[in-house]
Amino acid sequence: MPTYGSTVRSPLTALCPTLRTALTRVGYDAGTLLEMLGEEAHSALGRGEPVPVRRAARTAGDLGALVRLLLLGDALDEREAAAALAPVRIDEAVAAGLLTRSGGEVRAALDLRPTDVGAGNRWVLSDLDDSMHRRTLTEDHVLGVGHASLSLLRATPTAPVDSVLDLGTGCGIQAVHAASYARSVTATDVNPRALWLAGATAALNDLDIDLVQGSWFEPVAGRRFDQVVANPPFVVGPARVEHIYRDSGLALDGASELVISGVPGLLAPGGTAAVLAAWVHTEEQDWRQRVSSWLPPHGIDAWVVQRDVADPALYVGTWLRDAGLDPRTPTARQRAEEWLTALEQAQVTGIGFGFVYLRAVDAPTELLAEDLTHGFDDPLGAEAHAYFHRSAWLRDIAGDPDRARRSRYRVDPATALERVSLPGEQGWEQQVIRLHRGDGPRWQHEVDETTVSLLAGMRPDGLPLYELIELLALSQGAEEVSPEFADAALGVVTGLVRHGLIHPVPH
């Protein structure tokens, strides 16, 4: 089984130390690039609009020359490129596959992009996309830093761990990110070209990442990791492979099912996974039940966050454009017809997309699957750790309700109470009371006056829950607390704890 990275030095990998010196010399990094371009041109770069970027780069010396060469894909006079890339020699850059040469000019053969993934500047090598020049993507095209990979970066927990697996690494962006919080990082991919570029990305950033070629879980069979991250080829559609980075060869959401059902076997005790995934919506099955069926019956605490749901036509059109196809061309129209027919035959009404967080536990599997299609505060990674911590406490007290009643609670500082009047037949007469978190996922719970009174009595040094319940029952005219009243109050409390609106106070 081939191993890449530090054990195999391609010409591109060998060039990376000198290339790093050149990039550092001219300030080709995320922070300096933003400063040089300004907010407007930087935003235009993200939208694939070259003219504002080119105008800003014209007067920026060597840095501007590298922006035009490496980000915009412009042809540069060889002498200008040589000056900007010094001490890299143009002959070496061409031989390594970084540049191409024609008639005294050079062009980039690869995308070399500075980005800040949360631990300072990193450089990422990938294939050129069609954002600045029209291109037809090949089957083994290696995607760069796109919206999906950035969303996974923001959603990944970054607490220090010993070992991380990046399953399906692509250009290596997740592995580079993991190197900032993990002692060792292993990255796999079935695509040799992806490992070639990921190895160069690691070398360019002076990182030691173990890169192993193979399909799905084969390269790491028998191994366990403290954390697994995965941005698999999750695109929902017919069972075919047009582009390795997005197509799995499995029908519909088969890739997501394969990864989510297989990752639990890769987790060390207490290990965590963060996976980008997609799932189909049908009339016959709720999407939550579908995802739940992919998990083992024992050993996993799962939090599934649905960020978006697309109708089939929008979904297909989006992914056609992603591959550089114009939906109006005959080829694209034929593919769209086949794609939509496959979804229709499977009775797909929508395609959901989001994050799947898994934690290895010694307990029956539990799953919370919910919509977070509203706006919320990134990043979610820290919230995932906090969610699993709260979930562990709820598991511990599930068999000991008295412990929960003896506990004291505090209201989270970000929790706010909101009273909303709704229109009725007599005007603004119906009132809804909401508790909502002002940070993180911004969860909301509709509550009643009894719950409001219960939370009003919660203090870190105050009364335990059972005494608050007793006082509340007495205030409502009851001579004693009924089991039904106590259970209802405890149910409300556990729901608010799960979403972090209130917290148990440690003894």
Side-chain angles (χ1 to χ4, degrees):
M1 186 175 296
T3 301
Y4 293 78
S6 59
T7 58
V8 175
R9 288 179 61 82
S10 70
L12 182 60
T13 302
L15 181 70
C16 283
T18 309
L19 180 57
R20 183 168 63 249
T21 299
L23 300 179
T24 303
R25 177 183 61 81
V26 301
Y28 189 74
D29 59 69
T32 308
L33 183 65
L34 175 58
E35 182 180 347
M36 182 270 284
L37 292 178
E39 291 285 353
E40 291 185 6
H42 193 268
S43 297
L45 178 65
R47 297 192 302 268
E49 299 172 7
V51 173
V53 182
R54 190 173 292 115
R55 288 169 62 88
R58 283 173 184 163
T59 58
D62 287 346
L63 176 57
L66 290 190
V67 168
R68 288 155 48 214
L69 177 68
L70 300 174
L71 292 183
L72 299 183
D74 290 353
L76 259 62
D77 179 83
E78 188 169 326
R79 289 171 296 181
E80 183 181 10
L85 281 170
V88 173
R89 294 175 55 242
I90 297 298
D91 288 345
E92 293 175 337
V94 172
L98 178 65
L99 303 177
T100 61
R101 171 193 273 145
S102 177
E105 292 184 328
V106 295
R107 288 184 180 271
L110 298 171
D111 185 289
L112 201 174
R113 192 165 299 261
T115 184
D116 188 342
V117 297
N121 181 75
R122 296 290 187 269
W123 296 289
V124 180
L125 283 157
S126 63
D127 278 325
L128 297 167
D129 60 23
D130 75 331
S131 61
M132 297 300 172
H133 295 274
R134 298 301 297 174
R135 308 178 195 276
T136 300
L137 306 189
T138 60
E139 180 179 324
D140 64 350
H141 177 85
V142 179
L143 201 65
V145 183
H147 294 299
S149 57
L150 286 174
S151 67
L152 181 58
L153 284 175
R154 292 191 295 267
T156 298
T158 57
V161 293
D162 281 340
S163 60
V164 168
L165 169 66
D166 177 14
L167 185 72
T169 191
C171 67
I173 181 62
Q174 307 299 330
V176 166
H177 183 228
S180 66
Y181 61 85
R183 190 171 58 85
S184 67
V185 180
T186 299
T188 68
D189 207 291
V190 70
N191 184 359
R193 184 171 180 83
L195 292 176
W196 172 60
L197 287 168
T201 291
L204 190 55
N205 292 285
D206 197 22
L207 297 173
D208 184 14
I209 295 173
D210 180 27
L211 294 143
V212 189
Q213 184 183 352
S215 177
W216 300 113
F217 311 113
E218 293 173 4
V220 289
R223 297 177 61 184
R224 297 292 183 270
F225 300 88
D226 297 311
Q227 186 153 300
V228 175
V229 294
N231 180 8
F234 58 75
V235 171
V236 173
R240 64 187 181 194
V241 178
E242 293 179 349
H243 303 288
I244 296 174
Y245 75 87
R246 73 173 198 191
D247 303 321
S248 66
L250 302 171
L252 299 178
D253 49 13
S256 294
E257 177 180 3
L258 178 66
V259 171
I260 293 169
S261 62
V263 161
L266 297 173
L267 294 177
T272 303
V275 180
L276 272 181
W279 39 82
V280 301
H281 287 231
T282 66
E283 295 288 352
E284 287 73 26
Q285 185 182 39
D286 183 86
W287 71 270
R288 299 167 182 84
Q289 294 175 331
R290 188 176 187 88
V291 177
S292 178
S293 71
W294 299 344
L295 295 171
H298 188 93
I300 289 296
D301 190 1
W303 179 35
V304 181
V305 176
Q306 180 166 261
R307 287 293 295 127
D308 194 15
V309 182
D311 66 74
L314 174 62
Y315 188 82
V316 170
T318 298
W319 283 106
L320 286 175
R321 292 184 181 91
D322 176 81
L325 296 177
D326 184 339
R328 297 167 297 184
T329 63
T331 298
R333 290 202 304 267
Q334 179 62 31
R335 290 183 183 177
E337 182 67 35
E338 295 171 356
W339 203 331
L340 288 170
T341 298
L343 295 178
E344 182 181 24
Q345 290 175 345
Q347 299 181 321
V348 173
T349 58
I351 297 96
F353 165 83
F355 309 114
V356 176
Y357 294 102
L358 307 176
R359 169 67 59 87
V361 297
D362 185 15
T365 290
E366 295 182 3
L367 176 139
L368 174 65
E370 55 189 350
D371 284 295
L372 277 185
T373 53
H374 59 269
F376 65 86
D377 292 343
D378 268 342
L380 269 186
E383 185 65 37
H385 264 308
Y387 171 82
F388 286 128
H389 177 76
R390 298 190 298 264
S391 183
W393 186 84
L394 292 172
R395 251 191 328 275
D396 288 343
I397 61 98
D400 185 10
D402 285 341
R403 178 184 167 192
R405 295 187 180 100
R406 292 193 305 270
S407 296
R408 293 172 172 81
Y409 298 83
R410 64 177 178 86
V411 179
D412 190 273
T415 297
L417 177 67
E418 180 183 38
R419 297 179 184 272
V420 180
S421 295
L422 301 176
E425 293 182 0
Q426 305 300 320
W428 298 94
E429 58 184 30
Q430 184 180 358
Q431 191 174 76
V432 174
I433 308 173
R434 294 194 185 107
L435 288 172
H436 64 85
R437 268 183 59 180
D439 63 358
R442 297 183 178 271
W443 278 301
Q444 295 188 11
H445 284 235
E446 290 192 8
V447 296
D448 56 18
E449 293 288 358
T450 300
T451 301
V452 172
S453 299
L454 186 64
L455 267 65
M458 290 182 175
R459 302 283 190 280
D461 57 350
L463 299 175
L465 179 62
Y466 76 89
E467 291 190 33
L468 291 176
I469 293 174
E470 288 177 349
L471 289 175
L472 190 57
L474 290 174
S475 71
Q476 295 182 358
E479 296 183 358
E480 61 180 17
V481 180
S482 69
E484 293 79 13
F485 186 84
D487 289 344
L490 182 57
V492 169
V493 166
T494 56
L496 295 175
V497 167
R498 186 173 296 279
H499 279 163
L501 281 82
I502 64 174
H503 305 278
V505 177
H507 293 296

